[in-house]
Amino acid sequence: MGGNAYTFKLFGLTFNFTNMLSGLIVCVIVFAVMYGLSRHITMKPTGGQNVLEWLIEFTNGIVRAQFNQETSGFFSFFIFILFVFIFVANQFGLIFQMGWNGHELLRSPTADPVVTLTFSMTTILLSHFLGIAQRGFKNYFKGFVSPMPGMLPINLIEEFTNFITLGLRIFGNIYSGELLLKLIAGMAFSHGIATMIVSLPLEIAWQGFSVFIGAIQAYVFVTLTTVYISQKVVGE
């Protein structure tokens, strides 16, 4: 990684330009890929349509595992887009990691805890909102004090730990993966051709492993998202 992120101030607030640029490019990539895969939809799927339908069926399976048939359709598209975006964001830094003048210019957005904790906060808030909308505030709050009022602080702590672990889990895996790639690259150019020969297979192997880890973390994130939302909407 290329150092600290580029930041700028606007109206007294500090904005992370690196995250904004990387996130925007990820959005463009996701849109372009989804648009390309869905350009020619036919009754007999081939090529890109097969890939798209497999992705949809994969994420629908995650949703159906937590929700009943009546509610699963409502969350299917959200989980599908969330999985695709996080998957691409996790892999982004493996290809486009770039630094300039001692600063990071491009990296995986999910290699920043601010981004991943924002995703986890959105998930937790969405689960509470949908829980209240589905069950009513009174019945929803009863879940925090059941089977006894003493469970309230424990349940509140659980909500906080869910928020922290959901965001930091994906950040830790993606950040450490990109950091190790940087260290291997630094080793490759440290002592000439000898270290290049040693570092090249290590770099290739870790790149492949990082792709696997990025996919697993996207799967874990959306799976836990459906679990947390279903607990609030459907109940324990």
Side-chain angles (χ1 to χ4, degrees):
M1 303 202 294
N4 296 324
Y6 280 103
T7 60
F8 65 92
K9 288 186 177 293
L10 183 64
F11 303 120
L13 300 175
T14 301
F15 292 85
N16 189 315
F17 178 76
T18 301
N19 285 346
M20 294 170 63
L21 179 61
S22 300
L24 177 61
I25 295 175
V26 169
C27 288
V28 172
I29 292 174
V30 170
F31 175 81
V33 171
M34 291 299 103
Y35 181 77
L37 294 179
S38 61
R39 278 280 288 163
H40 302 289
I41 300 297
T42 62
M43 292 298 295
K44 187 177 181 180
T46 58
Q49 186 178 342
N50 276 325
V51 176
L52 181 61
E53 291 189 4
W54 180 86
L55 281 172
I56 292 173
E57 184 60 31
F58 175 73
T59 54
N60 283 351
I62 297 174
V63 175
R64 286 195 295 264
Q66 301 299 329
F67 296 95
N68 55 41
Q69 188 173 1
E70 295 179 356
T71 57
S72 61
F74 181 78
F75 299 100
S76 296
F77 183 71
F78 167 67
I79 295 299
F80 170 73
I81 292 299
L82 184 63
F83 174 80
V84 173
F85 180 87
I86 292 179
F87 175 81
V88 174
N90 288 350
Q91 315 300 337
F92 182 79
L94 302 179
I95 304 172
F96 298 105
Q97 191 174 155
M98 183 185 302
W100 180 262
N101 196 27
H103 292 275
E104 288 180 318
L105 185 60
L106 295 176
R107 67 181 179 193
S108 293
T110 46
D112 190 317
V114 173
V115 174
T116 58
L117 288 173
T118 299
F119 272 111
S120 65
M121 175 63 77
T122 302
T123 293
I124 298 301
L125 291 178
L126 181 62
S127 69
H128 289 303
F129 172 80
L130 293 175
I132 294 173
Q134 181 74 16
R135 300 159 61 186
F137 181 81
K138 184 177 181 180
N139 290 331
Y140 179 74
F141 182 74
K142 283 183 179 178
F144 285 89
V145 294
S146 297
M148 62 183 67
M151 293 296 295
L152 178 60
I154 297 176
N155 287 326
L156 292 178
I157 292 173
E158 181 184 13
E159 293 298 320
F160 179 75
T161 56
N162 287 343
F163 154 66
I164 293 295
T165 56
L166 184 62
L168 293 185
R169 180 187 294 106
I170 188 171
F171 156 71
N173 280 275
I174 304 306
Y175 176 80
S176 60
E178 292 190 1
L179 181 61
L180 187 55
L181 286 174
K182 177 194 173 185
L183 294 175
I184 295 174
M187 183 180 73
F189 295 98
S190 60
H191 294 86
I193 189 67
T195 52
M196 287 184 183
I197 294 174
V198 174
S199 301
L200 181 59
L202 290 177
E203 187 83 3
I204 294 174
W206 191 254
Q207 282 273 7
F209 184 68
S210 295
V211 171
F212 173 74
I213 291 297
I216 290 296
Q217 288 304 312
Y219 170 75
V220 169
F221 190 94
V222 297
T223 298
L224 290 177
T225 294
T226 59
V227 169
Y228 295 154
I229 293 177
S230 67
Q231 287 177 347
K232 301 298 186 296
V233 174
V234 181
E236 302 288 345

